Amino acid sequence: MFMLLIGLLTLSCLPRSVPCGCFDDRDALLYRVDITLPPKEGRDETADILQIKAKVEGLTDIKVIFSFKEIGNPKVLLVLNLEKACSWPQLTTFLSRKGYEVKTTPVYRCSDYARELGVNVSRDIYEMSLEDDEHLLLAKQTCHVKDLTTPEFDEKMRQMFERDVGIVKAGHRAACFRTLASLPVELMHFAPLGPQKMEAGVSILRGPETFDLEITRIQNLDSYVGGCQ
């Protein structure tokens, strides 16, 4: 399992903007949505999160790719495909009325990013379904430009993605997205992980590469029923 994450998370990152026209319209409407429930007297955190869960399940013209609850914190993370721009209000109006803190970030698939670099990968190389996994992690990698030239970044990225393709084809599962921005480059990875492997995994993933790494335990929102975690 960690062979895949090591490959993904030790990627050096290319300081390039995303050229217009590289992706179809649906790709331009992929978003990560972070929802935080701020402290409030009398707030029933479980009830509020279950309301978010019900709202997400009832969205129209918005495809929910992922919906997660951060373990131990009152936070929900969504990855959405916004099929129609005018569909936002059904979600944003609800969240605003509830007084939640919301951050929205446009993203696109790492497979598209790899193909932009010239790597021959299929668009669905990274798994888009993790519903059956109870223990998951979110690994956020922030890459900073150091002393490498653009061609050096290009070559390093190509080599790493090519290695990852082999690892994925060997049966390891993960989903990967890149933030739609030039610098710093941010990659986020979702992958199944047993809790007993967390400590060892974090130690391995913090390699000598020039990036900041943040690991968060998450669970599928569909499986959230409240109570102690």
Side-chain angles (χ1 to χ4, degrees):
M1 182 61 64
F2 274 102
M3 289 180 63
L4 172 61
L5 289 172
I6 292 168
L8 292 172
L9 295 172
T10 55
L11 297 177
S12 293
C13 298
L14 179 66
R16 61 167 69 227
S17 59
V18 179
C20 294
C22 283
F23 314 108
D24 62 35
D25 291 340
R26 291 171 66 84
D27 287 317
L29 297 176
L30 290 177
Y31 293 92
R32 167 178 172 165
V33 180
D34 293 87
I35 306 167
T36 303
L37 281 60
K40 180 180 179 181
E41 184 177 356
R43 180 187 296 282
D44 185 336
E45 176 185 311
T46 296
D48 279 12
I49 293 177
L50 291 176
Q51 284 186 354
I52 295 175
K53 175 181 173 181
K55 185 66 179 180
V56 168
E57 291 173 347
L59 295 175
T60 57
D61 297 321
I62 298 178
K63 180 180 179 181
V64 182
I65 300 175
F66 290 119
S67 60
F68 299 118
K69 161 72 170 61
E70 183 174 319
I71 293 179
N73 290 306
K75 297 181 180 180
V76 172
L77 188 158
L78 310 174
V79 179
L80 306 176
N81 187 329
L82 195 67
E83 299 178 356
K84 294 182 180 180
C86 59
S87 300
W88 266 126
Q90 64 181 301
L91 178 61
T92 56
T93 300
F94 167 79
L95 297 175
S96 176
R97 287 174 177 171
K98 290 291 185 178
Y100 303 146
E101 297 174 1
V102 181
K103 178 182 178 182
T104 303
T105 307
V107 299
Y108 68 103
R109 294 172 173 84
C110 288
S111 56
D112 288 332
Y113 182 29
R115 294 192 307 185
E116 178 188 344
L117 294 167
V119 180
N120 183 20
V121 299
S122 63
R123 198 161 182 273
D124 60 352
I125 190 67
Y126 293 107
E127 177 68 50
M128 291 291 107
S129 176
L130 298 170
E131 289 87 352
D132 297 332
D133 296 288
E134 180 179 357
H135 301 293
L136 299 160
L137 67 76
L138 162 63
K140 176 184 175 183
Q141 181 188 7
T142 303
C143 307
H144 303 281
V145 178
K146 296 294 183 179
D147 299 326
L148 293 178
T149 65
T150 297
E152 289 172 335
F153 272 116
D154 278 336
E155 182 57 28
K156 196 167 188 178
M157 290 295 291
R158 276 192 291 268
Q159 291 176 2
M160 297 303 295
F161 273 117
E162 286 168 355
R163 186 183 73 175
D164 292 340
V165 169
I167 296 172
V168 171
K169 287 182 177 180
H172 298 277
R173 303 174 59 231
C176 178
F177 298 89
R178 179 189 162 174
T179 298
L180 188 64
S182 55
L183 296 173
V185 172
E186 293 183 352
L187 304 176
M188 63 173 178
H189 316 272
F190 305 112
L193 180 67
Q196 69 276 9
K197 299 179 182 178
M198 177 64 74
E199 184 175 350
V202 171
S203 177
I204 292 172
L205 292 172
R206 292 191 182 281
E209 299 292 334
T210 55
F211 61 80
D212 296 330
L213 180 66
E214 178 183 336
I215 302 289
T216 304
R217 286 189 61 196
I218 56 177
Q219 68 179 115
N220 278 300
L221 190 60
D222 285 344
S223 64
Y224 179 76
V225 294
C228 296
Q229 299 175 57

